[in-house]
Each structure stands twice: as structure tokens, then as C-alpha cells.
Amino acid sequence: TRRSSDLITFDLLVGYHEQKELLGIVPVSLDFGADLENGTALEVLGRIESEAGVLSIKGISIHQLLQNKK
């Protein structure tokens, strides 16, 4: 997670919620404050952007997912 005064960026590990299979990594940027911890499962709502063939997400909302630990 990288933070500045008006932007938070992080890499979203896609499909890695059970830490078994990583399907991809997508850079995400948020232009609002958020309390994020490494390893927290998140759902990101946003707009997919493409620059020079690289996909990223401009987040408009995030939700922390609660994990059912067995």
C-alpha cells in the first residue's frame, strides 16, 4: 500500500482469497481515505482503466470481506 495526501494505491491479488491460487494482480487507486491492512480480503467497486495495455481499477468503493474461518 502506498499513500500520499490525496491518493492510495495498492495491488489487488485476484482470486487469492483462500491463498491457494493467484489468478492475477491488478493495481488499484483510491482518491479517498481508507484504513487498509495487508492481507485483508476486499471487494473493490470501480472503473476498469487501461493505459499502455495495462489494466487497473480506479476504485469508488471498497468493502472488507468477513472470512468464515473453519
Side-chain angles (χ1 to χ4, degrees):
T1 304
R2 295 161 298 283
R3 299 174 192 255
S4 68
S5 60
D6 59 347
L7 185 69
I8 298 172
T9 60
F10 60 93
D11 292 330
L12 181 67
L13 304 180
V14 178
Y16 199 58
H17 61 279
E18 293 180 358
Q19 298 181 353
K20 294 180 183 174
E21 181 180 4
L22 178 62
L23 299 175
I25 299 173
V26 179
V28 176
S29 62
L30 308 174
D31 61 0
F32 55 88
D35 187 19
L36 302 175
E37 290 184 34
N38 284 335
T40 300
L42 296 175
E43 177 180 69
V44 178
L45 177 62
R47 181 178 64 245
I48 297 173
E49 298 181 337
S50 176
E51 185 175 323
V54 176
L55 295 178
S56 65
I57 298 175
K58 172 75 172 178
I60 60 172
S61 177
I62 59 171
H63 301 97
Q64 183 175 349
L65 300 177
L66 300 176
Q67 298 290 318
N68 183 9
K69 306 223 179 193
K70 295 178 180 180

